[in-house]
């Protein structure tokens, strides 16, 4: 495949879209940002008043993500599309694939940035995943019918520096310096930092042949709670951490009860339970760096102390 230079991105101001856009610009790609019209509000779209985009972006195009007829000419001339829309925008993914394929785009980076097709997830998580798979399946279908159109999914596992900062439920309350260590604290999982997520997309677009029509496995670190709390304790100057202990079985049971009752919060409970369930390796995207695509994509391996320093610094 010829090289990829001109890239359209959807979701550029988001949690992961911002670092991906910054990484693309740093790497010299010509970037077009697609965004909803200012103040958009409808039953399927929430308003977007806080968006902000880097000045270096080539152009910013306001678009209705569902309008294939208007998106198609706007995407013409782009080599690749990256979709990193938020979870609330899942319904828009299929029209984006249709428009990109019709416009002659060569590579569509589908919206995974999660656990891919993780066979070790709890069965209850399948209903969440299946909504995302619709667009992945559409991209596969389009690629099967058009050899000029290809797709890649970027599986990142836990977005670790961002998640540690944002979700105390993961066991680490960065603001309060309190932690809950589940069971022995030794269950390993893999994560990718925001730096690694940006680099993963850059790596995919720099290696279109090696990454065509598959999910790539990103990782910046393989770690466990004990390693992270040690890093937090040594990285936090002054204020000590208070550590309590919890049981994955209790977390899981609480999440399942909420799921049965239709109460919000069960997804996060189950995500954390499967992260720390001992001996299950439910949240290991790649057991070793060699088993991942990190080398190909140019993602560096980071230490627990580096990751924790990022979580503490924001
Ligand atoms: N691995 C994990 O644990 C993990 C954690 C978080 C997220 N993720 C995944 O990463 C991807 C990106 O998530 P994110 O947190 O970066 O997204 P986000 O910040 O919530 O949203 C990204 C962008 O999507 C657009 N958007 C948001 N809600 C929308 C709606 N209702 N309708 C239309 N457009 C909407 C907005 O762009 P404009 O305003 O410019 O239109 C927004 O800036 C998703 O697939 C998400 O599931 C994975």
């Amino acid at each position: 495949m010829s090289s990829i230079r001109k890239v359209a991105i959807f979701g550029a101001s988001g949690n992961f879209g911002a670092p991906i856009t910054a990484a693309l610009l740093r790497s010299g790609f010509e970037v077009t940002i697609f965004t909803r019209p200012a103040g958009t509000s409808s039953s399927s779209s929430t308003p977007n008043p806080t968006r902000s985009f880097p000045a270096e972006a080539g152009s910013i195009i306001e678009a209705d993500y569902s309008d294939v007829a208007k998106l198609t000419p706007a995407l013409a001339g782009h080599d690749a599309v990256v979709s990193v829309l938020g979870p609330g925008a899942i319904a828009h993914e299929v029209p984006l694939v249709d428009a990109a394929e019709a416009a002659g785009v060569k590579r569509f980076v589908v919206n995974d940035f999660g656990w891919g097709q993780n066979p070790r997830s709890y069965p209850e998580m399948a209903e969440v995943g299946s909504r995302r798979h619709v667009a992945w399946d559409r991209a596969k279908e389009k690629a099967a019918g058009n050899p000029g159109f290809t797709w890649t999914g970027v599986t990142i596992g836990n977005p670790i520096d961002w998640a540690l900062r944002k979700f105390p439920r993961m066991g680490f309350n960065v603001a309060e310096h309190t932690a809950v260590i589940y069971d022995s604290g030794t269950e390993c999982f893999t994560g990718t930092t925001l730096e690694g997520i940006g680099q993963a997309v850059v790596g995919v677009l720099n290696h279109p042949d090696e990454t065509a029509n598959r999910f790539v496995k990103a990782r910046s670190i393989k770690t466990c709670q004990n390693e992270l709390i040690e890093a937090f304790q040594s990285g936090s100057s002054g204020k000590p951490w208070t550590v309590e202990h919890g049981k994955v079985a209790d977390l899981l049971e609480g999440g399942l009860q909420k799921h049965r009752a239709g109460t919000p919060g069960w997804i996060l409970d189950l995500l954390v339970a499967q992260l720390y369930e001992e001996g299950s390796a439910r949240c290991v995207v790649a057991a070793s760096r060699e088993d991942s695509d990190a080398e190909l994509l140019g993602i560096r391996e980071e230490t627990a102390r580096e990751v924790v320093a990022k979580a503490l610094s924001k």
Side-chain angles (χ1 to χ4, degrees):
M1 181 187 291
S2 57
S3 67
I4 288 173
R5 294 316 318 157
K6 190 167 178 183
V7 182
I9 182 163
F10 291 78
S13 66
N15 296 309
F16 301 167
I20 291 169
T21 304
L24 289 170
L25 289 167
R26 267 198 313 276
S27 299
F29 289 97
E30 188 184 336
V31 177
T32 305
I33 289 171
F34 282 76
T35 184
R36 289 167 292 170
T40 295
S41 183
S42 73
S43 56
S44 61
S45 294
T46 47
N48 55 350
T50 57
R51 63 191 176 167
S52 70
F53 303 115
E56 303 85 356
S59 51
I60 296 169
I61 297 177
E62 292 191 345
D64 175 348
Y65 299 155
S66 305
D67 193 336
V68 177
K70 284 195 181 140
L71 280 172
T72 302
L75 286 172
H78 290 84
D79 300 311
V81 168
V82 177
S83 176
V84 65
L85 292 173
I90 292 296
H92 296 298
E93 302 282 343
V94 167
L96 297 192
V97 172
D98 289 351
E101 192 263 345
V105 167
K106 293 183 274 188
R107 172 62 47 86
F108 194 103
V109 178
V110 297
N111 197 350
D112 178 6
F113 303 105
W115 297 92
Q117 292 159 315
N118 186 359
R120 294 186 298 274
S121 280
Y122 291 134
E124 290 76 10
M125 302 303 286
E127 66 196 66
V128 183
S130 61
R131 278 180 247 140
R132 309 164 62 80
H133 296 185
V134 177
W136 303 353
D137 290 344
R138 182 66 140 242
K140 288 176 192 169
E141 194 186 301
K142 291 286 182 188
N146 173 3
F149 178 81
T150 58
W151 62 274
T152 306
V154 179
T155 298
I156 61 162
N158 185 274
I160 189 163
D161 52 337
W162 177 81
L164 284 171
R165 203 167 55 240
K166 186 157 173 92
F167 297 111
R169 200 83 179 92
M170 218 176 123
F172 302 94
N173 187 323
V174 172
E176 303 291 331
H177 285 210
T178 57
V180 180
I181 303 297
Y182 290 96
D183 297 345
S184 69
T186 57
E187 178 66 13
C188 284
F189 65 97
T190 56
T192 309
T193 59
L194 294 180
E195 172 192 321
I197 293 169
Q199 181 56 41
V201 174
V202 167
V204 165
L205 301 183
N206 278 337
H207 298 280
D209 293 325
E210 299 94 321
T211 59
N213 300 331
R214 71 181 182 97
F215 285 86
V216 293
K217 296 180 192 174
R219 65 170 249 176
S220 306
I221 188 170
K222 182 179 178 187
T223 190
C224 66
Q225 274 203 296
N226 284 353
E227 192 175 54
L228 290 169
I229 190 60
E230 189 278 329
F232 272 120
Q233 280 165 332
S234 61
S236 311
S237 46
K239 193 174 171 191
W241 280 66
T242 305
V243 178
E244 292 176 6
H245 291 269
K247 291 197 173 86
V248 167
D250 295 342
L251 190 57
L252 179 58
E253 187 45 37
L256 291 175
Q257 273 176 18
K258 285 183 201 163
H259 179 256
R260 284 192 291 270
T263 311
W266 67 269
I267 295 179
L268 197 51
D269 286 351
L270 262 55
L271 277 174
V272 178
Q274 66 182 18
L275 204 58
Y276 300 139
E277 187 189 288
E278 286 205 3
S280 70
R282 286 185 189 273
C283 292
V284 174
V285 166
S288 66
R289 184 170 166 83
E290 294 67 38
D291 184 38
S292 77
D293 293 292
E295 198 64 34
L296 171 73
L297 302 177
I299 304 168
R300 70 187 181 90
E301 195 79 0
E302 298 185 47
T303 65
R305 289 191 182 197
E306 280 177 280
V307 169
V308 155
K310 289 178 176 182
L312 286 166
S313 72
K314 305 276 166 59

